[in-house]
Amino acid sequence: MEMFNVSRIKGMIKNESQVAVIEGKWEDGRNLSVKSLFDFVCDLRFESQHAFHYEMFNNGAAFQEILPRMCETANIRNIYIAAHGDRDGIYGSSGEAISFTRIKNAVKAINDTKGQLHSLYFGCCLFGQSQNMQELLEESEQLRWIAGYTKSISFVDSTVLDALFWQQYFNFPDSTPLSRIVSVYDRLKSDAPGLIKRLGFKVVVRDHRRTDQVYELV
């Protein structure tokens, strides 16, 4: 009889990573997914491939339902959104364009939840323009930072940077959301400056101690 893996069950129940991954399908007939990235990183850090939550979204209606629901789920502090994208929005598995306005409405709905969401990370081409992320961050008082890519990105290159990011992020579990993302970004600038520049990786944060509370990390 196969013995139960206690750490695996623990990860399933507690979502030790505090991450939810929601993903749009990439290509017809191909098995591309960022899920394998989080399987790998969570297995290394938490000894379980089940230490994060994963769902797929098909269209705008699904996205608007999933985002606030994830915020109400116990122990989810960070949501990673993986999909095709452009400057004006992202795309669900059906290929339906999900406009910036619709995304903003979904983010605004976070305010009606009792969750403690800290961040959104857009693993999407082009959508991570500073103006987009600043406007989204201003829509929800729960959020402390938003990350994304300002350029067209290859699946391999962005997966490498994402792996470096989350591996570092899990190394600072006891920090405040702001100090945690600053520490991670500083480390990335040291370890992968070429990837950051080539992919146009950006992070926008909120700091209530500043006059300009929402600003881009540089």
Side-chain angles (χ1 to χ4, degrees):
M1 181 181 295
E2 182 181 0
M3 295 183 65
F4 286 108
N5 185 320
V6 176
S7 64
R8 176 180 174 182
I9 296 173
K10 183 179 179 182
M12 290 174 65
I13 296 172
K14 292 188 176 181
N15 186 359
E16 288 182 299
S17 74
Q18 299 186 336
V19 171
V21 177
I22 60 175
E23 184 173 32
K25 188 176 180 181
W26 298 100
E27 303 287 349
D28 290 335
R30 301 183 67 187
N31 196 29
L32 293 176
S33 175
V34 299
K35 184 177 181 299
S36 57
L37 160 65
F38 285 89
D39 285 341
F40 173 70
V41 175
C42 286
D43 204 9
L44 287 176
R45 179 63 179 83
F46 305 104
E47 298 183 0
S48 172
Q49 294 183 359
H50 301 273
F52 68 100
H53 181 87
Y54 177 83
E55 291 189 28
M56 297 189 75
F57 63 95
N58 191 54
N59 52 32
F63 182 85
Q64 285 188 281
E65 185 275 330
I66 289 174
L67 197 63
R69 173 165 55 82
M70 289 298 94
C71 299
E72 295 176 336
T73 303
N75 213 31
I76 288 179
R77 302 290 180 266
N78 314 280
I79 297 180
Y80 179 96
I81 301 161
H84 288 299
D86 57 36
R87 294 174 183 271
D88 300 317
I90 62 176
Y91 295 84
S93 296
S94 67
E96 176 187 300
I98 304 171
S99 69
F100 177 78
T101 298
R102 197 158 195 179
I103 295 168
K104 185 168 68 172
N105 289 338
V107 171
K108 190 174 183 178
I110 294 172
N111 291 321
D112 296 327
T113 71
K114 296 181 180 180
Q116 297 180 17
L117 190 68
H118 295 161
S119 74
L120 296 176
Y121 188 128
F122 286 89
C124 315
C125 289
L126 299 169
F127 185 75
Q129 309 299 319
S130 294
Q131 182 176 348
N132 283 352
M133 295 195 295
Q134 288 177 10
E135 191 169 340
L136 290 178
L137 195 58
E138 289 168 353
E139 289 295 328
S140 174
E141 285 298 317
Q142 285 194 34
L143 294 174
R144 294 295 176 264
W145 60 267
I146 299 180
Y149 295 99
T150 64
K151 298 181 181 180
S152 294
I153 55 178
S154 78
F155 194 87
V156 173
D157 288 349
S158 60
T159 297
V160 170
L161 187 59
D162 290 348
L164 291 171
F165 179 97
W166 290 107
Q167 185 269 335
Q168 288 297 327
Y169 194 76
F170 295 149
N171 283 339
F172 300 96
D174 298 322
S175 303
T176 67
L178 181 59
S179 63
R180 190 177 192 181
I181 188 60
V182 170
S183 296
V184 172
Y185 194 64
D186 286 345
R187 183 61 182 266
L188 283 182
K189 286 192 297 181
S190 174
D191 290 351
L195 273 177
I196 289 176
K197 182 177 180 180
R198 187 161 81 249
L199 301 177
F201 181 68
K202 298 287 185 181
V203 180
V204 173
V205 302
R206 173 187 282 115
D207 185 348
H208 292 292
R209 298 168 298 181
R210 293 172 50 127
T211 302
D212 53 336
Q213 291 187 8
V214 174
Y215 64 98
E216 181 183 318
L217 285 181
V218 293

